């Protein structure tokens, strides 16, 4: 299509206009044929690179095979390393290893889901670049998946090395594995040179800065990313605890087992980090009210404020007497959790989403099995609404720091919350896209009306 040779007929008027006759065209073709014949005789005809390159499908299968082989090797080494430890130390050690690596695993999961979101937007002709005010160098879903693939490889590999080195007595080398991984991630994010998607990295960092300090008008990307951070508050809390242990040299030691230590499970920093995304979103709503005067932004701010009692009352368990917690604070915690879940569910369905008609975001521009399965199906709405309600309620479990002892359950609930947010993105972006289109249509209609009135006035003036 682009860059190919254009075939023009010999009797084209364009050729005749430029003075090229049929005889000249035939002579040129004869010269080309003679040249090709001479090349074949001399054996100097180049071999086509496409003929020796494997097909994309074959390359994809080979990469998938390597990926599964790598995954099997990591699982085998990790399992053997864990089985080498004593039974009484095994669970504690897995808890520590899980603390360092589960935040990055969940971030990797979120990146995979975001790539799927962008792929669906592209198939449905939703201009997400315009919605998020992205430049022309923004990452596509393929580049997002490439980043997620590398994250999927690097994070489990580091975790496998940590397990192997610790189980074989190399404690100092084992302790360096999560430190090196976290340092590499930080360096890639802030690397100032034009590699590793510089514009996209700085766009992310700039948006995070605007979230922390909402001193300017709030854009869609600002509160969109802040909403995603509320779903990853547990991830942020675990990141804080991991960095705290690295700074205090508690990696691969038993010092962190003490709950009342600096980085222990009773640390005051845990509820502070858990509540920070909700406070950021609360301040954004107040800023929006200051700029627009819309009262709905105050109701939205009230929604985020209901998460504060859930987190605060949960943290009180470690600082009050057990009888007082059971008889007074625990019922308040349950009540505040129910209020936050139901309020958030109501706001998702009635404000963030537009469910007045069947969604068009799954109506792809080209025929696709996924579009045929999802578009216009009532079960999609029943599933999204019911799963959103259930996962909103279970999310209270994650916000409660006194329920952290079962780390596998908390990890599963956090992963389900990220999946809920993945579903939420489809309908939230479509709702914003519909609003932008409706505003554009209104502006166009107003412009056409003004032009029509001006034309009528001019015609009346001529008639006079």
């Amino acid at each position: 299509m682009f860059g190919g040779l254009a075939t023009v007929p010999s009797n084209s008027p364009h050729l005749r206009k430029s003075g090229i006759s049929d005889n000249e065209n035939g002579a040129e073709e004869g010269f080309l044929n003679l040249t090709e014949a001479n090349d074949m005789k001399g054996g100097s005809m180049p071999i086509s690179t496409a003929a020796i390159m494997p097909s994309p499908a074959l390359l994809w299968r080979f990469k998938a095979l390597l990926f599964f082989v790598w995954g099997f090797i990591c699982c085998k080494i990790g399992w053997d390393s864990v089985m080498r430890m004593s039974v009484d130390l095994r669970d504690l050690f897995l808890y520590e290893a899980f603390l360092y690596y589960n935040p990055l695993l969940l971030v990797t999961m979120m990146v995979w889901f975001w790539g799927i979101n962008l792929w669906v937007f592209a198939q449905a002709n939703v201009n997400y670049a315009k919605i998020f005010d992205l430049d022309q160098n923004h990452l596509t879903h393929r580049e997002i998946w490439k980043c997620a693939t590398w994250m999927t490889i690097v994070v489990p590999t580091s975790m496998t090395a940590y397990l192997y080195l610790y189980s074989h007595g190399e404690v100092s080398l084992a302790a360096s594995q999560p430190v090196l991984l976290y340092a590499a991630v930080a360096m890639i994010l802030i690397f100032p040179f034009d590699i590793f998607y510089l514009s996209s990295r700085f766009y992310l960092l700039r948006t995070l800065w605007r979230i922390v300090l909402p001193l300017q008008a709030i854009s869609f990307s600002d509160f969109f990313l802040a909403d995603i951070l509320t779903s990853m508050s547990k991830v942020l809390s675990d990141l804080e605890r991991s960095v705290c242990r690295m700074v205090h040299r508690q990696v691969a030691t038993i010092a962190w087992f003490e709950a009342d230590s600096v980085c222990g499970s009773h640390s005051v920093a845990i509820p502070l980090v858990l509540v920070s995304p909700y406070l950021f979103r609360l301040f954004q709503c107040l800023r929006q009210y200051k700029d627009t005067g819309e009262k709905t932004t105050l109701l939205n701010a009230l929604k985020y404020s209901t998460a504060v009692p859930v987190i605060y009352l949960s943290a009180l368990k470690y600082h009050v007497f057990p009888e007082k917690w059971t008889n007074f604070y625990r019922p308040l915690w349950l009540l505040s959790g129910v209020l936050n879940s139901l309020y958030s569910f109501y706001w998702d369905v009635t404000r963030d989403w537009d469910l007045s008609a069947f969604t068009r975001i799954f109506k792809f521009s080209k025929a696709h099995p996924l579009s045929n399965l999802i578009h216009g199906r009532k079960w999609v709405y029943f599933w999204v609404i019911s799963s959103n309600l259930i996962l909103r309620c279970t999310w209270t479990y994650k916000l409660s720091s006194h329920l952290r002892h079962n780390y596998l359950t908390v990890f599963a609930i956090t992963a389900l919350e990220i999946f809920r947010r993945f579903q939420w993105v489809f309908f939230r972006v479509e709702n914003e896209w519909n609003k932008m289109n409706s505003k554009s249509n209104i502006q166009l209609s107003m412009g056409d009306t003004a032009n029509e009135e001006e034309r009528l006035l001019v015609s009346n003036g001529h008639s006079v």
Side-chain angles (χ1 to χ4, degrees):
M1 181 177 178
F2 297 103
L5 295 176
T7 303
V8 183
S10 60
N11 58 352
S12 171
H14 299 287
L15 293 177
R16 291 197 296 268
K17 184 180 293 186
S18 60
I20 302 176
S21 65
D22 296 343
N23 294 332
E24 291 174 340
N25 191 44
E28 183 180 355
E29 291 180 358
F31 174 76
L32 291 175
N33 293 333
L34 179 61
T35 303
E36 291 178 0
N38 292 333
D39 290 342
M40 292 179 66
K41 290 178 181 179
S44 60
M45 185 179 67
I47 300 176
S48 175
T49 56
I52 61 175
M53 288 293 293
S55 64
L58 183 61
L59 283 175
W60 187 89
R61 291 172 184 172
F62 180 70
K63 291 178 181 179
L65 178 62
L66 288 179
F67 188 80
F68 282 113
V69 170
W70 161 85
F72 174 78
I73 293 174
C74 286
C75 292
K76 183 69 168 62
I77 295 176
W79 178 261
D80 292 342
S81 301
V82 171
M83 291 298 104
R84 286 173 58 93
M85 303 178 190
S86 59
V87 178
D88 55 341
L89 182 63
R90 189 179 300 163
D91 189 62
L92 295 174
F93 175 74
L94 283 177
Y95 175 77
E96 184 190 14
F98 201 74
L99 175 66
Y100 299 138
Y101 291 101
N102 92 87
L104 298 181
L105 290 174
L106 291 170
V107 171
T108 302
M109 177 183 175
M110 190 71 215
V111 175
W112 276 113
F113 280 153
W114 177 241
I116 297 174
N117 289 134
L118 296 187
W119 176 76
V120 172
F121 297 153
Q123 297 298 318
N125 292 328
V126 174
N127 192 354
Y128 61 89
K130 182 178 180 181
I131 296 175
F132 294 103
D133 194 21
L134 303 174
D135 59 20
Q136 60 182 358
N137 297 322
H138 68 272
L139 299 184
T140 64
H141 62 275
R142 296 182 183 276
E143 294 164 324
I144 293 292
W145 284 339
K146 186 184 296 184
C147 295
T149 301
W150 280 109
M151 295 171 67
T152 307
I153 294 173
V154 172
V155 177
T157 300
S158 177
M159 185 175 182
T160 303
Y162 178 79
L163 295 173
Y164 178 82
L165 292 171
Y166 188 89
S167 63
H168 286 75
E170 300 291 342
V171 179
S172 59
L173 289 177
S176 66
Q177 297 305 308
V179 177
L180 291 175
L181 179 62
Y182 276 63
V185 171
M187 287 298 298
I188 290 174
L189 282 176
I190 65 176
F191 202 62
F193 301 104
D194 194 7
I195 57 175
F196 301 131
Y197 311 115
L198 177 65
S199 60
S200 298
R201 288 188 287 111
F202 275 23
Y203 177 85
L204 174 62
L205 295 175
R206 185 171 61 251
T207 305
L208 290 174
W209 179 257
R210 290 164 61 93
I211 291 173
V212 176
L213 292 176
L215 303 178
Q216 65 289 314
I218 307 300
S219 64
F220 180 79
S221 59
D222 293 341
F223 67 76
F224 182 85
L225 182 57
D227 274 331
I228 292 178
L229 291 180
T230 59
S231 293
M232 304 185 73
S233 56
K234 172 64 169 54
V235 174
L236 298 177
S237 175
D238 286 347
L239 285 174
E240 181 276 328
R241 296 180 71 194
S242 300
V243 173
C244 178
R245 292 176 182 178
M246 295 175 191
V247 171
H248 291 86
R249 300 178 181 274
Q250 296 182 4
V251 181
T253 66
I254 61 173
W256 63 272
F257 290 160
E258 300 177 3
D260 295 324
S261 63
V262 177
C263 307
S265 59
H266 298 179
S267 173
V268 179
I270 294 176
L272 291 179
V273 176
L274 281 174
V275 80
S276 58
Y278 296 91
L279 294 180
F280 294 151
R281 195 66 187 89
L282 171 64
F283 293 145
Q284 284 183 337
C285 293
L286 296 179
R287 173 71 197 205
Q288 284 183 303
Y289 177 74
K290 177 180 178 298
D291 294 337
T292 63
E294 296 181 1
K295 294 183 178 179
T296 54
T297 57
L298 294 179
L299 297 176
N300 199 14
L302 180 63
K303 180 193 73 173
Y304 293 104
S305 67
T306 58
V308 178
V310 180
I311 300 171
Y312 174 74
L313 292 172
S314 174
L316 278 180
K317 180 181 180 180
Y318 303 120
H319 305 282
V320 297
F321 293 109
E323 297 80 7
K324 194 170 186 180
W325 159 258
T326 304
N327 298 328
F328 182 72
Y329 289 112
R330 188 172 182 271
L332 288 179
W333 167 73
L334 291 173
L335 179 62
S336 60
V338 172
L339 176 63
N340 171 258
S341 300
L342 295 180
Y343 197 169
S344 300
F345 168 75
Y346 167 79
W347 196 272
D348 285 340
V349 176
T350 61
R351 299 289 183 173
D352 287 346
W353 302 345
D354 181 13
L355 301 182
S356 58
F358 283 120
T359 178
R360 295 187 301 275
I361 202 167
F362 298 116
K363 186 178 182 181
F364 295 172
S365 57
K366 298 180 180 179
H368 195 277
L370 182 62
S371 180
N372 297 332
L373 177 66
I374 295 179
H375 176 64
R377 308 295 182 181
K378 292 184 178 180
W379 69 265
V380 175
Y381 290 88
F382 290 124
W383 164 258
V384 169
I385 292 175
S386 59
S387 63
N388 191 75
L389 175 61
I390 295 172
L391 295 178
R392 275 292 189 184
C393 294
T394 57
W395 191 227
T396 304
Y397 189 100
K398 184 273 320 175
L399 291 179
S400 305
S401 56
H402 74 281
L403 299 175
R404 285 172 168 261
H405 54 278
N406 193 341
Y407 58 93
L408 291 178
T409 302
V410 175
F411 176 81
I413 291 177
T414 307
L416 288 174
E417 168 61 16
I418 292 177
F419 177 76
R420 186 198 68 82
R421 184 63 65 178
F422 160 72
Q423 295 182 145
W424 175 90
V425 167
F426 289 121
F427 299 95
R428 184 65 187 90
V429 171
E430 183 190 34
N431 191 17
E432 186 67 19
W433 179 239
N434 291 336
K435 290 179 181 179
M436 293 178 66
N437 287 337
S438 62
K439 289 180 181 179
S440 299
N441 294 334
I442 292 174
Q443 291 175 357
L444 288 175
S445 62
M446 292 178 63
D448 293 341
T449 304
N451 293 334
E452 182 68 18
E453 291 178 353
E454 183 178 356
R455 187 182 65 80
L456 291 174
L457 289 174
V458 171
S459 62
N460 291 336
H462 281 298
S463 63
V464 175

